[in-house]
Amino acid sequence: MKANFQIILVAVFLAFAVFAVLIFSGILPIGNSTNSSTLPQGKVVIWGTFPSLEMGNAFDAINTTNGTLTIKYVEQPKDKYQQNLVEAFAAGTGPDMFFVTEDMLLRNKNFIYTLPYASYPEKLFRDSFIDGADIYLNKDGVSAIPIVVDPLVMYYNKTLLANEAIVTPPVYWDELFLLVDKLTKKKTDGTISQSMIALGSYENINHAKDILSLLLMQGGNPIVVRNNDLLTSTLKDRFNLPVAPIDSVIPFYTSFSNASDSAYSWNRGLISSYDMFIGGKLAFYLGRASELFKIESVNPNLSFDVTSILQTRGTSTIRTYGKIYGLAISSKSPNQATSIGVLGLITSPDAMQKISTTLSLPPTLRSLLATLPKDPYLYSFFQSAIVTRSWLDPESTATDKMFSELISNVLSNKLSLSDAVLKADGQLRVLLPNNL
């Protein structure tokens, strides 16, 4: 009963917030009677990288109940999405609304319409959505409304664990040191035939940047902080700790690819971590929730399960890293009034639940996360969503190269740890804009 009341309350607040935006912007004149003409009307085009079939089904429900409104969703290829956005906006053919992630906000700031706090209060936003969604808040207002979360989770091979009489998967990172001898198998020539976990290198580890970001955040380093109009790298910062988080994270991470270390379980000569897991030769795979159905379809005979990402022992804060997909209104759109109304419809609890179910990804609304699903996979995904964090990545390709060079410089002894960190921090500072 209490959960239902919270859902209804959030829906009312969200509807009021959108209505307030329309009033304050002068789109809806005060004094007119409320009728169908005040509801969103016309056609709104939304771009994103989610499959068109699934998103089309989710938006069709809104179209069906709003006869004067048409929401058209256009699926974009992931590798060309940013380029297509820039080119379309330059040509005046961009979408009215578009999905964004943390690595798109800074690059597309000139294309995003910010909902002012006077119309959409910061308190309402923070009370409604998960803490990690605050990446969509800036000093002026709300840049995007968070919709779904794709958290980093841990998939594990049940057969490999059972073969070694391991009843449950580990919870903490330090437990890996107790399992490495059981789960990592080597041939007579020393080459790895079965690995416990893919850590240590970079190019052949799926989501390596996500994993390093996760470890840094669990250690208390947010990577980038925002103070009003200024973004600053914290990569090398110590945070009044005995050791800077990155000075602990990098040696821990690289130890798993050091052949002379007892943690050795991975190297640059192996196939990708995803392929290793699909092939039944990797015990623990750190991947995204969105990979579930791909794993099932590629190898239907693989006996696996999923659980929350490993945590650091002795800390009181649970964290995982993930992508938080938000929906932004284009500052270039001639249909901003309708887009704002559509945003209110899409972010209603019923619509967000539909989108979440369609994509099999957890929603961002606290009220919808309050009830954990019975499905064992989604149960872990929902739990992970609540503690998901990310950081304002200025340019995903460049920061990926930055982290890759950091690990390479340490593994090859080309630079000392301190010099490698200093270089990476300098690279990140150059990428960050001087102002927002």
Side-chain angles (χ1 to χ4, degrees):
M1 184 71 180
K2 182 178 179 182
N4 290 335
F5 174 75
Q6 289 176 331
I7 292 174
I8 294 171
L9 187 62
V10 168
V12 171
F13 274 130
L14 288 174
F16 173 78
V18 172
F19 182 76
V21 171
L22 298 174
I23 292 294
F24 281 106
S25 62
I27 295 169
L28 284 184
I30 299 176
N32 285 3
S33 59
T34 302
N35 50 52
S36 59
S37 65
T38 64
L39 298 175
Q41 299 180 55
K43 180 180 178 180
V44 169
V45 177
I46 300 176
W47 282 16
T49 58
F50 294 119
S52 56
L53 178 62
E54 284 84 346
M55 292 305 297
N57 291 336
F59 290 147
D60 281 347
I62 297 177
N63 290 333
T64 301
T65 56
N66 296 270
T68 60
L69 174 67
T70 300
I71 301 175
K72 180 183 179 181
Y73 176 77
V74 180
E75 180 184 355
Q76 294 290 323
K78 292 182 180 180
D79 59 339
K80 296 182 179 179
Y81 185 34
Q82 179 61 41
Q83 178 184 344
N84 289 351
L85 279 173
V86 172
E87 292 178 354
F89 283 133
T93 58
D96 300 298
M97 308 171 73
F98 58 105
F99 280 96
V100 294
T101 49
E102 75 288 343
D103 56 346
M104 295 178 65
L105 281 177
L106 298 179
R107 286 185 287 173
N108 294 284
K109 63 179 181 178
N110 293 330
F111 304 139
I112 294 176
Y113 169 76
T114 299
L115 295 169
Y117 287 131
S119 305
Y120 201 127
E122 181 179 354
K123 179 82 163 63
L124 170 62
F125 184 98
R126 292 186 181 276
D127 288 348
S128 301
F129 301 106
I130 59 173
D131 290 339
D134 64 4
I135 58 168
Y136 293 121
L137 299 178
N138 57 50
K139 67 181 183 64
D140 297 316
V142 180
S143 56
I145 300 297
I147 306 296
V148 292
V149 190
D150 190 3
L152 204 61
V153 294
M154 187 172 76
Y155 296 92
Y156 61 95
N157 187 311
K158 295 169 65 177
T159 301
L160 297 186
L161 267 63
N163 288 345
E164 302 299 331
I166 300 171
V167 179
T168 57
V171 176
Y172 300 105
W173 293 104
D174 60 11
E175 293 180 72
L176 294 176
F177 299 122
L178 303 176
L179 300 174
V180 63
D181 288 338
K182 293 182 178 181
L183 294 173
T184 298
K185 308 295 183 181
K186 301 172 186 175
K187 298 179 182 178
T188 54
D189 62 358
T191 59
I192 295 174
S193 58
Q194 175 185 304
S195 171
M196 174 184 65
I197 194 169
L199 293 172
S201 63
Y202 198 91
E203 280 70 21
N204 62 343
I205 297 180
N206 297 70
H207 319 298
K209 183 170 75 171
D210 292 0
I211 296 168
L212 287 167
S213 297
L214 161 72
L215 289 167
L216 285 168
M217 288 183 167
Q218 287 183 346
N221 189 333
I223 304 175
V224 169
V225 294
R226 174 169 48 191
N227 292 311
N228 294 321
D229 287 338
L230 183 65
L231 286 174
T232 306
S233 166
T234 62
L235 206 57
K236 64 179 178 59
D237 290 5
R238 187 171 170 179
F239 301 97
N240 294 319
L241 296 171
V243 178
I246 198 167
D247 289 341
S248 298
V249 165
I250 300 304
F252 169 80
Y253 181 85
T254 55
S255 67
F256 291 89
S257 64
N258 185 344
S260 62
D261 196 293
S262 60
Y264 179 58
S265 62
W266 192 259
N267 62 56
R268 287 174 283 189
L270 296 170
I271 59 177
S272 75
S273 56
Y274 172 81
D275 289 333
M276 197 84 163
F277 185 73
I278 289 298
K281 298 299 182 180
L282 181 65
F284 305 121
Y285 171 65
L286 308 183
R288 292 178 183 160
S290 58
E291 294 179 271
L292 171 63
F293 295 126
K294 182 181 177 182
I295 293 173
E296 287 182 322
S297 63
V298 173
N299 188 353
N301 297 317
L302 185 66
S303 177
F304 74 94
D305 206 340
V306 63
T307 187
S308 299
I309 205 74
L310 297 167
Q311 299 294 315
T312 302
R313 191 187 298 273
T315 60
S316 58
T317 303
I318 298 175
R319 286 282 183 271
T320 189
Y321 181 84
K323 285 197 171 296
I324 302 172
Y325 288 87
L327 190 56
I329 296 174
S330 167
S331 61
K332 308 293 184 181
S333 171
N335 303 316
Q336 284 187 0
T338 304
S339 297
I340 291 172
V342 167
L343 192 61
L345 296 175
I346 292 176
T347 55
S348 69
D350 286 344
M352 289 189 73
Q353 181 66 68
K354 175 71 173 178
I355 295 173
S356 170
T357 302
T358 299
L359 297 175
S360 295
L361 289 175
T364 56
L365 274 177
R366 293 178 185 271
S367 56
L368 296 180
L369 291 169
T371 303
L372 296 175
K374 294 181 181 180
D375 181 276
Y377 296 138
L378 290 178
Y379 183 93
S380 294
F381 296 166
F382 270 54
Q383 282 190 319
S384 299
I386 300 170
V387 295
T388 295
R389 296 292 188 278
S390 60
W391 56 283
L392 281 174
D393 188 339
E395 213 290 311
S396 57
T397 301
T399 54
D400 188 61
K401 182 181 178 182
M402 176 197 77
F403 275 113
S404 176
E405 288 182 358
L406 170 59
I407 297 303
S408 176
N409 285 333
V410 172
L411 286 177
S412 64
N413 291 316
K414 183 178 180 180
L415 294 176
S416 66
L417 175 60
S418 59
D419 286 343
V421 169
L422 191 63
K423 180 179 179 181
D425 181 72
Q427 291 172 323
L428 181 55
R429 290 177 185 273
V430 170
L431 292 172
L432 293 171
N434 293 326
N435 61 72
L436 297 177

